């Protein structure tokens, strides 16, 4: 039987080992949830498995977990999806990363483009990237996912679209009338989603030259975060693990 809150750790996990918990996990388990010595926790580190463990509390600020056994393993993903998302404003990017993780993406690359309003550099970008990776980890804790999508360092749209390799490359673009056809079953997809201001004509042409097919999601203009989640749901239904 598996029980207890799910916690991510960067430590290696194996039966009959003890691992130190990081400050964030200790605060959550000991201070917020007020858990006691011997209480059950479930651990994952992104290797695809979840492990049962019991809490060992050393002090208010320090705790470890005694791992007993692996309890479950994620089925291998049917579809690798690399989401290229032009960086959106405020907490919209967090929302997209959280929901994309729940919907099973394997990789996310935040992109800059001509009409991208967010300009982050140096330290601020490093911090943002760390924050986005944490958003993905929290979404894994909550959704029961034992693999963690990688949030890659930001790239320009042209670098990403010209370098990415995938069986199928899709560009979400409202002015492109090419529907999604499901005659082949790709194992990997690169999905490119634009900013609130959309792509410029030059960007669309460059992406098409790099092998991206346009995908239209109906007659309405969707907000960038709605577009990403809608496309991911459709792709998981047609080629992935929704059925
Ligand atoms: N005025 C912009 C334009 O005409 O491109 C609208 C951009 S829309 C708010 C933001 C992004 O979501 C777009 O760049 C596109 O990637 C995606 N998107 C929105 N609605 C879509 C639709 N119906 N079909 C395909 N992609 C869509």
């Amino acid at each position: 039987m598996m029980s207890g809150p799910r916690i991510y750790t960067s430590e290696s996990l194996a039966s009959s080992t003890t691992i130190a918990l990081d400050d964030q996990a200790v605060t959550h388990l000991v201070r917020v949830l007020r858990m006691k010595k011997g209480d059950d926790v479930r651990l994952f580190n992104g290797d695809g498995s979840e492990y049962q463990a019991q809490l060992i509390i050393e002090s208010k600020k320090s705790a470890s977990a005694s791992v007993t056994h692996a309890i479950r393993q994620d089925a291998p993903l049917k579809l690798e999806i690399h989401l290229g998302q032009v960086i959106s404003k405020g907490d919209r990017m967090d929302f997209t990363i959280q929901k994309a993780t729940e919907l099973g993406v394997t990789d996310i690359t935040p992109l800059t483009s001509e009409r991208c309003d967010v300009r982050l550099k140096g330290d601020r970008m490093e911090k943002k990237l760390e924050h986005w990776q944490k958003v993905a980890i929290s979404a894994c804790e909550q959704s029961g996912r034992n693999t963690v999508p990688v949030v890659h360092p930001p790239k320009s749209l042209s670098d990403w679209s010209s370098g990415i390799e995938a069986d199928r490359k899709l560009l979400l673009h409202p002015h492109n009338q090419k529907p999604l056809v499901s005659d082949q079953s790709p194992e990997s997809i690169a999905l490119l989603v634009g900013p609130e201001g959309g792509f410029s004509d030059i960007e669309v042409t460059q992406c098409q030259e790099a092998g991206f097919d346009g995908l239209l999601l109906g007659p309405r203009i969707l907000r960038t975060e709605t577009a990403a989640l809608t496309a991911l749901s459709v792709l998981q239904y047609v080629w992935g693990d929704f059925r």
Side-chain angles (χ1 to χ4, degrees), residues 85-86 92 115 171-176 192-200 204 214-228 231:
Q85 170 71 57
V86 178
R92 280 186 196 176
R115 298 185 191 152
L171 164 72
L172 284 196
H173 187 54
H175 307 308
N176 191 308
L192 179 50
V193 188
E196 278 310 317
F199 297 112
S200 69
V204 173
L215 171 61
L216 180 70
L217 299 169
R220 291 161 294 275
I221 304 284
L222 308 175
R223 281 189 180 269
T224 181
E225 65 273 28
T226 315

Side-chain angles (χ1 to χ4, degrees), residues 178-196:
K178 195 166 177 183
L180 184 69
V181 281
S182 55
D183 51 349
Q184 335 116 312
S185 291
E187 288 179 1
S188 59
I189 293 196
L191 175 69
L192 179 50
V193 188
E196 278 310 317

Side-chain angles (χ1 to χ4, degrees), residues 5 21 26 28-41 53-60 63-65:
L21 294 171
V26 175
H28 181 63
L29 296 173
V30 181
R31 293 215 212 142
V32 179
L33 299 181
R34 299 190 175 277
M35 292 183 75
K36 305 274 178 271
K37 180 177 167 226
D39 282 352
D40 285 337
V41 286
Q54 278 75 44
L55 199 59
I56 302 166
I57 299 177
E58 284 119 20
S59 73
K60 274 188 186 164
S64 46

Side-chain angles (χ1 to χ4, degrees), residues 152-174:
H152 296 274
K155 273 193 171 176
S156 69
L157 173 87
S158 60
D159 283 353
W160 186 80
S161 59
S162 58
I164 190 87
E165 288 184 11
D167 292 347
R168 189 78 200 270
K169 299 179 194 176
L170 297 167
L171 164 72
L172 284 196
H173 187 54

Side-chain angles (χ1 to χ4, degrees), residues 100-114:
T101 302
E102 291 170 27
L103 290 168
V105 293
T106 33
D107 296 84
I108 301 168
T109 302
L111 301 174
T112 54
S113 76
E114 256 180 56

